[in-house]
């Protein structure tokens, strides 16, 4: 893949063993943040304030939500959360919320946010422990992360419908969130989302008898799933629940596990089967493969990611 990579302090070893490809920690596509975007967001932060309003993060918003553009820190459930928004709310169109992978800040979604901002309202945010948001106070579960997401949506979308588009761990969180928020989430796009039962899958694909790089990959992935990651997020195995008849697009990588050739085929099968499991989110789910792409589909094939998001927006809009 032709991109510049950096590593988080947590997962320095992950890049060497491709572990970041399993759960999304450790590899970040820095070229997803062009200079023009950096300048734009830096200028926008001159208006940034630790602003809050009564009830932030504690219930539905009203109207179209906060209409700010640029980057802003908001208060949600007692935490400072870094949010970036572009574009304006368009009648009948859902607000799009982009959710980065684990170990990534919202800037890694800039390559999608810029063009989508010309079509309507689109936002991204740093989850607790990522980017410029506060650190969590302890281990986070899906419910904890969901409360923060609800608070963010209350502020930026108000009562408007929302399409969630998530990469890797961001996709996992979006897929776990949608079934409990059918009144709000009208579409999903999962970009190589972390699979529903990763711990069981990695234990099966790479046995305890493995040594060397494969054993390191197995152990690191399990440790990350147990909360040893920047978000202190527990990536728990669980069945997929239905989110209703919303449009769902699931896109998986073409190839990612070349660094562990002995177990690469088993890992690819694990990942492909996991992507198929996400189809249970909706009877209107579709799964596809991003040709020529590794784990960072929105960097390797932004054309496919944008096409999928726009298709889901269009279908969600027609359904209203």
């Amino acid at each position: 893949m032709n991109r510049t990579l950096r590593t988080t302090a947590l997962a320095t070893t992950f890049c060497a063993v491709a572990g970041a490809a399993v759960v999304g920690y450790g590899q970040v596509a820095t070229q997803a943040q062009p200079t023009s975007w950096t300048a734009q967001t830096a200028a926008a932060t001159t208006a940034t304030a630790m602003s809050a309003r009564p009830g932030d993060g504690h219930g539905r918003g009203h109207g179209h939500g906060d209409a700010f553009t640029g980057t802003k820190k908001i208060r949600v459930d007692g935490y400072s959360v870094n949010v970036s928004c572009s574009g304006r709310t368009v009648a009948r169109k859902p607000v799009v919320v982009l959710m980065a992978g684990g170990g990534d800040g919202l800037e890694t979604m800039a390559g999608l946010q810029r063009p989508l901002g010309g079509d309507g309202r689109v936002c991204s945010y740093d989850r607790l422990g990522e980017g410029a948001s506060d650190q969590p106070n302890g281990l986070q579960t899906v419910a904890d992360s969901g409360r923060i997401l609800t608070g963010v949506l209350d502020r930026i979308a108000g009562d408007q419908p929302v399409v969630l588009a998530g990469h890797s761990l961001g996709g996992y969180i979006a897929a776990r969130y949608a079934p409990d928020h059918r009144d709000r989430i009208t579409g999903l796009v999962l970009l190589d989302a972390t699979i529903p039962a990763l711990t069981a899958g990695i234990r099966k694909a790479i046995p305890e008898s493995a040594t060397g790089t494969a054993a390191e990959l197995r152990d690191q992935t399990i440790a990350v799933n147990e909360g040893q990651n920047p978000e202190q997020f527990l990536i728990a195995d669980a069945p997929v629940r239905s989110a209703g008849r919303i449009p769902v697009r699931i896109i998986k990588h073409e190839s990612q596990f070349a660094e562990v050739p002995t177990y690469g085929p088993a890992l690819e099968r694990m990942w492909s089967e996991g992507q198929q499991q996400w189809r249970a989110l909706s009877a209107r789910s579709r799964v596809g493969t991003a040709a020529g792409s590794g784990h960072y589909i929105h960097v390797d094939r932004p054309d496919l990611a944008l096409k999928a998001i726009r298709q889901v927006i269009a279908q969600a809009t027609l359904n209203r």
Side-chain angles (χ1 to χ4, degrees):
M1 289 174 288
N2 182 22
R3 63 170 184 253
T4 303
L5 301 176
R6 63 177 173 83
T7 63
T8 64
L10 167 80
T12 301
T13 57
F14 268 77
C15 285
V17 298
V22 179
V23 289
Y25 281 97
Q27 290 184 326
V28 179
T30 54
Q31 77 174 46
Q33 183 184 10
T35 302
S36 58
W37 176 261
T38 304
Q40 176 185 346
T41 54
T45 57
T46 58
T48 296
M50 294 295 297
S51 55
R53 64 182 183 186
D56 265 354
H58 299 284
R60 292 296 297 270
H62 298 282
H64 292 174
D66 193 329
F68 78 91
T69 58
T71 303
K72 186 174 186 176
K73 290 185 177 179
I74 64 174
R75 299 294 297 183
V76 177
D77 207 22
Y79 293 98
S80 171
V81 178
N82 192 45
V83 180
S84 172
C85 288
S86 308
R88 296 182 179 181
T89 300
V90 177
R92 295 181 56 81
K93 269 192 173 184
V95 176
V96 177
V97 176
L98 304 173
M99 301 179 65
D104 294 352
L106 60 80
E107 71 278 358
T108 64
M109 307 303 285
L112 300 182
Q113 185 164 329
R114 285 198 323 280
L116 289 171
D119 302 334
R121 185 74 166 159
V122 55
C123 299
S124 54
Y125 75 105
D126 289 328
R127 294 187 298 275
L128 299 186
E130 306 286 11
S133 289
D134 280 350
Q135 296 295 312
N137 288 329
L139 192 68
Q140 293 194 92
T141 65
V142 167
D144 298 319
S145 187
R147 281 194 296 273
I148 298 299
L149 177 53
T150 294
V152 170
L153 296 183
D154 285 346
R155 186 63 176 271
I156 64 177
D159 291 329
Q160 300 304 298
V162 173
V163 165
L164 297 177
H167 167 243
S168 194
L169 183 60
Y172 172 96
I173 293 172
R176 297 300 191 197
Y177 182 85
D180 290 325
H181 298 85
R182 298 189 189 190
D183 61 328
R184 169 173 262 170
I185 306 304
T186 58
L188 288 170
V189 178
L190 308 183
L191 302 173
D192 221 33
T194 300
I195 62 176
L198 179 57
T199 297
I202 198 74
R203 289 183 188 277
K204 180 179 178 181
I206 303 178
E208 287 189 43
S209 59
T211 59
T213 298
E216 186 177 2
L217 170 57
R218 182 182 190 274
D219 293 345
Q220 290 277 11
T221 299
I222 292 170
V224 167
N225 292 355
E226 292 174 346
Q228 295 182 39
N229 57 68
E231 299 176 43
Q232 299 182 55
F233 182 78
L234 179 63
I235 309 172
D237 291 357
V240 178
R241 298 165 55 224
S242 174
R245 290 186 54 81
I246 63 173
V248 178
R249 293 294 176 271
I250 303 158
I251 307 177
K252 75 175 193 69
H253 67 254
E254 181 177 44
S255 178
Q256 186 64 26
F257 300 105
E259 290 86 347
V260 281
T262 301
Y263 300 102
L267 288 167
E268 291 292 1
R269 285 193 300 273
M270 173 199 77
W271 200 258
S272 293
E273 290 169 2
Q275 300 305 311
Q276 291 293 332
Q277 289 169 17
W278 284 128
R279 292 186 63 189
L281 282 162
S282 171
R284 300 174 65 198
S285 297
R286 289 172 51 189
V287 180
T289 299
S293 175
H295 186 51
Y296 278 77
I297 292 170
H298 56 298
V299 175
D300 295 335
R301 292 297 308 272
D303 56 322
L304 294 181
L306 287 168
K307 181 179 179 180
I309 294 170
R310 284 170 170 148
Q311 286 177 340
V312 168
I313 293 170
Q315 292 183 344
T317 301
L318 286 174
N319 292 343
R320 292 198 66 200

